[in-house]
Amino acid sequence: MKTFKLENETKIESGFKTPDNYFDNFSAKMMERLPMNEPKVISIFHRRKNLFLLIAAILVLALLVPTLYNYSTPQKSNMDAAALENYITYQTNVNQYDLINVLETEDINNIKISMVLEDKAIEDVLSLNSNLENLILE
């Protein structure tokens, strides 16, 4: 390969040339071409302030929605009867005496059922029940 030396080769001249004395009065010509009235300047900080207000409002709403939802929904104070019965049935450490101690007189009056049992029906149940001794002891 032939060695290439930059200084020895012919150089191509640029196709762009500036006119003579172009830069001497360039700034004066440029100032003449600029418009006399200046455009309205809008501050970046003004938009930023609105953005901060928007973010703060969204944050306040995000924090208030769960709180307002909890206050607006009614709390279920009374339990479902089936759930309560299942709980009492499957808890082996709860006996009738515990229930009697917890119940108030109003609750006991609500539990009372006016059911008339005939003597024949009672005799039939007692004769068919093999746990008669347990019932007597309780």
Side-chain angles (χ1 to χ4, degrees):
M1 180 176 206
K2 188 167 126 181
T3 58
F4 177 75
K5 293 188 178 182
L6 190 59
E7 295 95 23
N8 296 339
E9 295 295 324
T10 57
K11 297 180 182 173
I12 301 173
E13 291 187 27
S14 173
F16 300 104
K17 289 188 179 184
T18 57
D20 295 334
N21 299 326
Y22 180 75
F23 290 107
D24 291 341
N25 53 8
F26 177 75
S27 61
K29 287 181 182 178
M30 183 57 85
M31 291 305 286
E32 289 174 2
R33 291 184 182 178
L34 289 177
M36 291 299 166
N37 56 352
E38 294 183 12
K40 183 179 177 183
V41 177
I42 300 173
S43 174
I44 295 175
F45 298 110
H46 179 65
R47 283 191 175 183
R48 210 179 259 179
K49 182 180 177 185
N50 289 342
L51 182 65
F52 287 139
L53 289 175
L54 179 66
I55 291 172
I58 291 172
L59 183 65
V60 166
L61 283 176
L63 293 175
L64 283 179
V65 165
T67 307
L68 293 176
Y69 179 74
N70 287 338
Y71 284 121
S72 67
T73 55
Q75 298 295 330
K76 195 171 188 182
S77 61
N78 54 355
M79 284 196 242
D80 185 20
L84 184 61
E85 184 178 344
N86 288 335
Y87 175 77
I88 292 172
T89 301
Y90 293 115
Q91 293 298 322
T92 57
N93 58 353
V94 177
N95 58 25
Q96 64 188 2
Y97 300 110
D98 292 335
L99 291 176
I100 291 170
N101 290 333
V102 173
L103 291 176
E104 297 175 5
T105 54
E106 182 181 330
D107 296 330
I108 294 171
N109 292 335
N110 290 338
I111 291 174
K112 289 183 181 177
I113 300 172
S114 59
M115 183 186 300
V116 178
L117 295 175
E118 297 177 7
D119 291 337
K120 176 105 172 115
I122 294 173
E123 287 177 7
D124 289 341
V125 170
L126 291 176
S127 65
L128 296 175
N129 195 349
S130 62
N131 294 329
L132 186 59
E133 294 175 4
N134 289 340
L135 291 175
I136 292 172
L137 293 176
E138 287 184 6

